[in-house]
Amino acid sequence: MDDFSQVRKEAARILSKKKVDLVIGFKKGTIPLKAQPAFISSPDDVEQLILDGFCQNNLAVFLHDEPKDKRIGLICRACESRAVRALAIEHQLKRENLYLIGVPCSGILDWKKIHNAADGQITSAVEEGDQIILQVGGKKQTLKRNEFIVDSCRKCTRREPVGVDILIGEVQPNEIGTDDLTPTWGDKFAKKSSNVRYKLFTEETDRCIRCYACREACPMCYCTECFVDHIAPRWSESMVTPGGTQAWHIIRAFHQTGRCVECGACERACPMDIKMVYLTDKLNDDMKEIYGFEVGADEEKQPPFATITLDDKNRFTT
Amino acid sequence: MTPKIIKKNALQKTIKKWLKSYDLIAPAASKEGIRFKRITDPKEIVLDRYQNSIYPPKSIFLPQSEVMFNFENGSYTMPEDAPRKRIIFGMRPCDARSIWLLDTVFNKAEDLDIYWGEKREKALIISIGCAAICETGFCDTVGSGPFGEEGSDILITELDDAYFLKPLTSAGEKLISSLPTANDAQSKRARAIQKGSIVKDHTPADLGKIRDRLYDAFDTPIWKDISESCLGCGVCTYLCPTCFCFDIVDEVDRSERVRNWDTCMFRIYSQEASGHNPRPSKAERTRQRIMHKFAYWVDNEGVSGCTGCGRCVAQCPVNLDIREMVTTITSLKIQ
């Protein structure tokens, strides 16, 4: 972001005026290509706050552990703001206790791809406009930012934060390089026959180590007992076998149907580089097509699978 | 023990010879980067000096999921497939050290874990040192180093046109006894490379002092502050080459008793049947992880449980850096 000082100023204001007791944002990471979530409770500390392409988490996830009556400021990109809306609709937080500072986003960078593109060990990485400037073994290496944006951000069409208390910065309609039309993994997947799709799915899940980083990074996964941890009945085994692991991925995707805010935090959290966004993208597309529902688009509408009305069509029997 | 040489253009031939009597496990390309796999074609081996595998090679001796036995009508049968002799080729010293550390848990004669022991006694570990410490590595500050020797039967130093092999055990010596002996120039070059690998601004951490200060901080609220961004996933523990906690379950449908990796970072790890949880929040669980690595290991075995491989630092989804956490708590540096 070009002028993040305005955001820091606003964070300091709401803290010193005691509108909130905590501001959640990002701060510089300990190594290149990384950022850490920041929990700021004093206006003196707002200078730590940053926002760049290495801020790979969805900050709304940290609202799970906070008490609902705590007043919290959150620095929100579009996907974070959608998550807050979705969590509010599901009664997981009290919107009136939050102060959302909306900010534009130029897309999150794929740090592993940058790492692999570097000619050696990276000692520093900085974004400058449409470039990424690396220092590699004392030498400068420049990369095109456009080529290193994660798939979920490349496909993003809802870049304006929703339901925020203040928007700082201008959301450019084509801020992210949509001129990069190379198909994403998910695009290629969708074009294949069902046999090939199953093979690709099994190949992806084959290296899953059941660390549940995807689940823990997801703002919409907040169950106090996840189905995989349920013993009786045993929904999914904890062994790293194809059966158990595939069940894990499929059922988590189904539990996200119409709820996933398409932030991609799951894929970015995965240490084994497993694709999974393509599953929830498809289910969300179905929700839009069949029920006209899009998560985060409305402040009050319940996700179709969370609610029942008398005029629901019973598609399974008619 | 006499150091030996394999010319780089003779490596494949040498490995093919070994393949006649051993299964070979080595780092190979995989979708997530590098992974230790069973190799039948030496061309697949990747010895990229800047990257270690993401998934740790402890899985070779402690598989993430392992069938302990099958049961039926009150009796049980042990798994049938006994592992062949194996060479683990291309491990890094941090990982070889992790096997050495885990041997103190699983391989002590008076307390032998038969599943670990059977695989371990049939394995030779040939590790390759690192000419430069990797980006997130800090092996040299936790009692090891890029040419650390613990856990290896043979340690390789990569020269310009050859591999310099230092046998460290009699099993290692026997394996390479027929190879050409290294000459003085090669030995000198190897020593220079090993010396040059030490990073100048790293200093060995004072592990005893760190342990003491961690204990001092045990009941303070600092653990809550440093664990605030922790997601509570299992990335750090599963990728850690020395984490060894496991959970035993009965897969009744298949009549199998299975051992799976477990992680103290999950809430349910210490959840008791009554519903009580002695580690109810991330603060207690993070404290447990750090204390185990840097205090209890030091108490029990006199060495750090952390080998400085850096996987947790590189892969933590929220960039929680164990070095930073230890320094925040103890005010002592651990690079």
Side-chain angles (χ1 to χ4, degrees):
Chain A
M1 249 203 87
D2 279 337
D3 190 11
F4 206 64
S5 59
Q6 292 286 74
V7 175
R8 291 188 197 106
K9 238 169 106 180
E10 179 64 2
R13 185 187 74 86
I14 57 176
L15 281 168
S16 45
K17 291 234 185 302
K18 305 224 183 289
K19 273 182 87 93
V20 298
D21 302 309
L22 175 71
V23 169
I24 304 178
F26 286 101
K27 62 184 178 184
K28 195 164 183 286
T30 61
I31 51 177
L33 310 177
K34 302 277 185 166
Q36 292 179 330
F39 298 82
I40 310 283
S41 31
S42 160
D44 298 330
D45 295 334
V46 300
E47 285 315 302
Q48 293 175 30
L49 292 168
I50 61 154
L51 190 68
D52 61 23
F54 304 122
C55 297
Q56 67 167 31
N57 311 110
N58 185 316
L59 291 174
V61 75
F62 296 110
L63 298 173
H64 295 171
D65 281 342
E66 300 289 348
K68 280 190 203 162
D69 56 2
K70 190 165 178 180
R71 291 158 327 134
I72 300 171
L74 189 72
I75 297 174
C76 271
R77 294 165 291 190
C79 44
E80 276 142 342
S81 70
R82 289 198 296 276
V84 171
R85 222 178 219 185
L87 289 169
I89 289 169
E90 295 183 14
H91 303 296
Q92 293 306 304
L93 50 81
K94 289 218 175 94
R95 177 63 184 88
E96 61 266 27
N97 289 337
L98 302 178
Y99 187 83
L100 303 184
I101 303 174
V103 290
C105 173
S106 346
I108 297 173
L109 300 174
D110 187 341
W111 74 269
K112 287 187 189 176
K113 199 172 172 193
I114 295 173
H115 197 252
N116 291 335
D119 297 328
Q121 294 197 26
I122 300 172
T123 46
S124 82
V126 166
E127 294 166 89
E128 259 177 42
D130 61 353
Q131 293 185 326
I132 305 168
I133 315 283
L134 304 176
Q135 283 298 327
V136 182
K139 287 210 285 263
K140 183 169 138 172
Q141 186 181 351
T142 308
L143 301 173
K144 274 167 90 172
R145 192 182 191 281
N146 233 12
E147 294 170 8
F148 292 90
I149 297 173
V150 295
D151 281 356
S152 51
C153 298
R154 277 210 289 139
K155 282 165 53 80
C156 178
T157 52
R158 297 181 287 169
R159 289 166 201 158
E160 178 137 5
V162 296
V164 296
D165 293 285
I166 181 173
L167 178 66
I168 299 180
E170 231 178 275
V171 178
Q172 308 290 332
N174 288 312
E175 195 160 352
I176 298 168
T178 48
D179 50 329
D180 177 8
L181 295 172
T182 52
T184 63
W185 194 95
D187 292 338
K188 287 186 252 181
F189 176 89
K191 292 193 162 64
K192 301 275 197 292
S193 70
S194 62
N195 282 346
V196 176
R197 276 186 268 141
Y198 186 60
K199 178 169 162 289
L200 290 171
F201 167 69
T202 54
E203 271 171 12
E204 287 304 302
T205 53
D206 198 43
R207 55 188 184 280
C208 176
I209 61 174
R210 310 292 284 278
C211 65
Y212 303 125
C214 50
R215 174 185 78 185
E216 300 300 339
C218 176
M220 301 313 296
C221 271
Y222 54 74
C223 288
T224 48
E225 190 193 42
C226 179
F227 75 91
V228 280
D229 296 330
H230 197 64
I231 309 284
R234 194 81 184 281
W235 298 121
S236 169
E237 60 188 11
S238 37
M239 280 180 88
V240 283
T241 52
T245 305
Q246 289 173 24
W248 160 241
H249 282 261
I250 291 176
I251 297 177
R252 190 176 103 80
F254 269 99
H255 286 182
Q256 291 292 328
T257 306
R259 304 173 59 241
C260 164
V261 300
E262 298 176 357
C263 65
C266 48
E267 273 188 10
R268 294 188 295 270
C270 178
M272 306 302 276
D273 255 5
I274 296 171
K275 301 291 179 198
M276 48 194 98
V277 155
Y278 66 106
L279 294 170
T280 43
D281 275 355
K282 172 68 170 113
L283 291 166
N284 277 349
D285 286 346
D286 285 349
M287 292 308 266
K288 196 164 175 197
E289 200 185 297
I290 301 172
Y291 299 103
F293 180 82
E294 203 172 16
V295 66
D298 185 282
E299 231 172 32
E300 281 170 4
K301 259 208 215 146
Q302 294 268 343
F305 285 174
T307 184
I308 186 165
T309 65
L310 288 175
D311 47 43
D312 276 350
K313 291 190 185 61
N314 191 348
R315 287 174 189 276
F316 295 102
T317 59
T318 55
Chain B
M1 301 193 190
T2 326
K4 302 286 184 172
I5 283 289
I6 303 176
K7 286 252 171 224
K8 278 191 176 172
N9 53 23
L11 180 67
Q12 289 195 20
K13 204 173 102 196
T14 313
I15 290 180
K16 281 197 176 120
K17 195 156 154 251
W18 290 338
L19 280 168
K20 294 204 180 104
S21 329
Y22 297 85
D23 281 347
L24 187 83
I25 299 183
S30 68
K31 283 239 171 86
E32 79 272 15
I34 291 176
R35 190 171 188 138
F36 280 87
K37 292 185 189 173
R38 185 159 164 236
I39 299 286
T40 46
D41 180 358
K43 283 202 215 77
E44 290 176 58
I45 299 176
V46 175
L47 293 175
D48 182 343
R49 63 168 58 178
Y50 293 123
Q51 252 192 82
N52 202 348
S53 66
I54 295 194
Y55 198 61
K58 69 183 178 188
S59 60
I60 296 167
F61 304 105
L62 180 69
Q64 184 163 359
S65 297
E66 180 164 31
V67 175
M68 299 174 77
F69 52 76
N70 290 75
F71 46 81
E72 199 169 351
N73 293 330
S75 64
Y76 67 93
T77 46
M78 297 295 287
E80 266 176 29
D81 42 350
R84 201 162 84 114
K85 290 188 302 175
R86 293 191 291 189
I87 291 176
I88 324 297
F89 181 83
M91 242 200 230
R92 296 290 166 178
C94 52
D95 289 339
R97 184 181 177 85
S98 77
I99 305 302
W100 174 75
L101 288 171
L102 291 177
D103 274 340
T104 66
V105 178
F106 292 104
N107 211 15
K108 284 199 168 136
E110 63 271 25
D111 216 355
L112 182 69
D113 182 295
I114 54 171
Y115 302 96
W116 174 279
E118 200 179 32
K119 297 182 190 64
R120 186 71 182 95
E121 70 172 354
K122 291 184 184 168
L124 269 163
I125 295 179
I126 303 178
S127 50
I128 182 163
C130 307
I133 293 183
C134 60
E135 258 169 342
T136 50
F138 52 105
C139 48
D140 55 341
T141 64
V142 286
S144 181
F147 285 89
E149 296 183 352
E150 289 81 15
S152 303
D153 293 287
I154 298 167
L155 175 63
I156 297 177
T157 302
E158 184 180 348
L159 310 178
D160 301 308
D161 61 344
Y163 294 105
F164 177 90
L165 281 71
K166 180 178 178 187
L168 296 165
T169 63
S170 51
E173 189 173 36
K174 187 155 167 251
L175 180 75
I176 58 175
S177 54
S178 61
L179 291 177
T181 302
N183 63 36
D184 285 340
Q186 288 162 331
S187 296
K188 199 170 163 200
R189 180 82 187 112
R191 275 196 303 274
I193 289 172
Q194 289 159 17
K195 211 165 156 210
S197 67
I198 300 297
V199 178
K200 286 179 199 67
D201 64 348
H202 280 198
T203 47
D206 188 336
L207 295 170
K209 229 176 176 175
I210 288 175
R211 184 262 319 266
D212 292 342
R213 290 198 187 172
L214 287 173
Y215 272 115
D216 288 341
F218 195 88
D219 287 313
T220 68
I222 196 165
W223 304 98
K224 182 163 192 287
D225 297 332
I226 60 161
S227 63
E228 210 157 10
S229 60
C230 175
L231 297 178
C233 67
V235 169
C236 54
T237 46
Y238 284 178
L239 301 190
C240 175
T242 60
C243 277
F244 58 84
C245 285
F246 54 83
D247 180 43
I248 296 179
V249 294
D250 283 342
E251 292 295 343
V252 186
D253 290 344
R254 294 196 296 273
S255 304
E256 286 174 350
R257 176 159 293 178
V258 180
R259 173 163 77 181
N260 295 315
W261 289 356
D262 202 353
T263 166
C264 58
M265 300 309 279
F266 286 161
R267 185 176 45 84
I268 56 167
Y269 175 82
S270 49
Q271 180 91 37
E272 294 170 10
S274 62
H276 170 66
N277 192 338
R279 295 186 195 138
S281 82
K282 288 188 300 195
E284 291 87 28
R285 298 192 282 272
T286 303
R287 179 177 62 188
Q288 152 61 21
R289 173 158 162 72
I290 295 179
M291 296 291 296
H292 194 177
K293 269 321 156 216
F294 291 99
Y296 309 149
W297 264 101
V298 175
D299 288 341
N300 295 337
E301 300 294 334
V303 287
S304 165
C306 174
T307 63
C309 78
R311 285 179 176 93
C312 60
V313 174
Q315 299 297 333
C316 173
V318 293
N319 185 216
L320 267 173
D321 190 320
I322 201 165
R323 305 168 298 182
E324 185 185 51
M325 291 195 281
V326 169
T327 300
T328 303
I329 298 164
T330 64
S331 306
L332 292 166
K333 240 165 84 157
I334 175 170
Q335 228 100 351

